[in-house]
Amino acid sequence: MSIRVIASPVRASLARPCLGLRAIRASIPTHGALAAPVAVRHLGIPPLIAQPPGGIVGTVNDAVKIPPPDKLHGSYHWTFERLIAIGIIPLTVAPFISDAALAPAVDSVLVTTTLVHCYFGLQSNIIDYIPKREFGKVHDACMWLLLGGTIVTGYGFYKYETNDIGLSGTIAKVWKA
Amino acid sequence: MASLAVRPATRLSVVARSSRMSGRQLIPLVIARRSVSSQSLTPAEANEILVKQRANRPTSPHLTIYKPQITWYLSGLHRITGLTLAAGVYALGLGYLFAPVFGYSLTSTAIASAFGALPVALKFGFKTLAAFPFTFHAYNGVRHLVWDTASQLTNKAVVRTGFTVIGLTAVTSLVLALM
């Protein structure tokens, strides 16, 4: 075994019996204003993170890095989503058929469940259309904006429920107007 | 034997080639030569040109050429109606809080009186437009929950339940709009 001293990355790519992908990929900027999006399906308005060719991170022989198993964001999230969805079904009619004394309480439960359902749904949409792999920090900002917006909307509905007639009350009033 | 086989073949080919070559040499070949110029670019500059060229290239059609099917039509509609309803919910909650900042008030009496002032046809139109996303998303949501129980997952069942949802949506939103 001879010890080879490799002075430069170009020399390294020539010395290795592979395709020299590392030298090519090293020359393509992956961040910043010159980042090249590989396949732009959307407008690409915020600077997108350039994806490695073929989506290969590292070399072709490296295993794909998968996120660690996490029940909170995995199976528990799924179950909670379905529980909320099932719970909403009777709640859509309940405020309209309950008597005047109970209606605000039932309506509050409907609004809370609806907001949680909307939060989960919008989260899925952000994951689909503003992926972290391509948008990086913008994705995180959108997630936090969603959480903040949901909490503020919840507070708004709390005010609406106490100072006004609530969601189902508004729908009934507007429908009869 | 192998060497004997090779040599005549090569000789023939050489002969053939040389005869071809001699024929060719009789005809003067005029080749017009263009001078090629090149400029040296850094990898960053080359990448910039590549990005600019990509903007000029057409993209392949996808949604416009995919065969319309009840599977992906209803799936897309489920998402679109969900987003519309969520936008409405968030608009109501945030609007009630922040409308006074802009000089408006989004109380239920204000909304009801503004809606009541519209002509009957427009009121019916708006009610249908509001009822349709809600009923479709609700019924299709039930269809999704049924699928989560690992039932009605064959192609026929998906089509059957899909048309059921469409029928129920049409009937329910009409009934709601007429109320």
Side-chain angles (χ1 to χ4, degrees):
Chain A
M1 281 292 276
S2 61
I3 301 166
R4 284 181 295 182
V5 177
I6 293 160
S8 69
V10 176
R11 191 66 95 69
S13 67
L14 289 171
R16 280 160 152 270
C18 73
L19 300 165
L21 282 170
R22 208 165 259 168
I24 299 168
R25 216 177 310 121
S27 62
I28 297 175
T30 49
H31 289 267
L34 296 175
V38 176
V40 184
R41 339 182 275 282
H42 35 62
L43 298 171
I45 293 172
L48 297 172
I49 299 170
Q51 298 302 304
I56 298 167
V57 177
T59 67
V60 291
N61 294 317
D62 292 337
V64 170
K65 204 173 137 205
I66 55 174
D70 176 11
K71 275 201 180 140
L72 187 64
H73 292 96
S75 66
Y76 293 165
H77 184 270
W78 188 94
T79 312
F80 190 50
E81 244 186 357
R82 312 301 137 158
L83 282 174
I84 294 277
I86 293 169
I88 270 188
I89 298 170
L91 279 171
T92 47
V93 288
F96 298 100
I97 57 173
S98 52
D99 49 304
L102 271 179
V106 180
D107 191 64
S108 308
V109 179
L110 166 68
V111 166
T112 314
T113 326
T114 307
L115 274 176
V116 175
H117 187 71
C118 287
Y119 174 72
F120 284 144
L122 288 169
Q123 223 182 20
S124 298
N125 279 292
I126 292 175
I127 292 170
D128 282 348
Y129 301 123
I130 313 175
K132 185 164 174 67
R133 187 174 42 94
E134 282 181 55
F135 284 85
K137 291 212 172 84
V138 175
H139 168 93
D140 297 331
C142 285
M143 284 294 196
W144 284 110
L145 193 66
L146 174 67
L147 182 64
T150 311
I151 292 171
V152 175
T153 310
Y155 175 69
F157 267 110
Y158 162 73
K159 281 281 172 207
Y160 199 66
E161 204 72 53
T162 48
N163 297 347
D164 219 315
I165 51 176
L167 181 65
S168 53
T170 311
I171 293 172
K173 200 167 181 179
V174 171
W175 225 256
K176 295 276 183 274
Chain B
M1 277 302 282
S3 54
L4 282 170
V6 167
R7 239 180 266 128
T10 50
R11 222 176 270 154
L12 273 167
S13 62
V14 167
V15 166
R17 222 177 276 141
S18 63
S19 69
R20 241 185 278 136
M21 278 304 282
S22 56
R24 209 182 264 182
Q25 278 165 357
L26 294 170
I27 304 166
L29 291 168
V30 181
I31 302 168
R33 275 192 166 213
R34 271 194 306 176
S35 61
V36 177
S37 68
S38 65
Q39 53 176 149
S40 67
L41 293 170
T42 62
E45 288 168 352
N47 196 45
E48 223 174 285
I49 295 177
L50 180 64
V51 170
K52 283 204 200 105
Q53 282 300 312
R54 278 177 180 148
N56 297 334
R57 291 179 197 156
T59 54
S60 305
H62 42 96
L63 289 173
T64 45
I65 57 168
Y66 205 104
K67 175 180 170 178
Q69 289 171 313
I70 205 165
T71 46
W72 65 277
Y73 265 34
L74 290 195
S75 172
L77 201 58
H78 190 73
R79 183 160 267 201
I80 291 169
T81 49
L83 285 171
T84 316
L85 291 163
V89 166
Y90 277 69
L92 186 60
L94 292 171
Y96 182 74
L97 269 184
F98 295 115
V101 177
F102 299 100
Y104 299 100
S105 78
L106 214 66
T107 55
S108 61
T109 40
I111 303 170
S113 57
F115 188 73
L118 297 169
V120 178
L122 256 176
K123 273 199 274 190
F124 179 73
F126 273 122
K127 280 190 200 171
T128 321
L129 267 174
F132 166 71
F134 175 69
T135 46
F136 177 79
H137 193 84
Y139 289 129
N140 207 32
V142 170
R143 187 166 163 242
H144 263 88
L145 288 170
V146 166
W147 286 335
D148 286 333
T149 63
S151 155
Q152 307 297 316
L153 282 167
T154 63
N155 274 336
K156 276 196 180 155
V158 165
V159 173
R160 203 182 340 120
T161 50
F163 278 113
T164 313
V165 161
I166 293 174
L168 279 170
T169 305
V171 169
T172 315
S173 47
L174 203 64
V175 166
L176 282 175
L178 287 168
M179 271 165 72

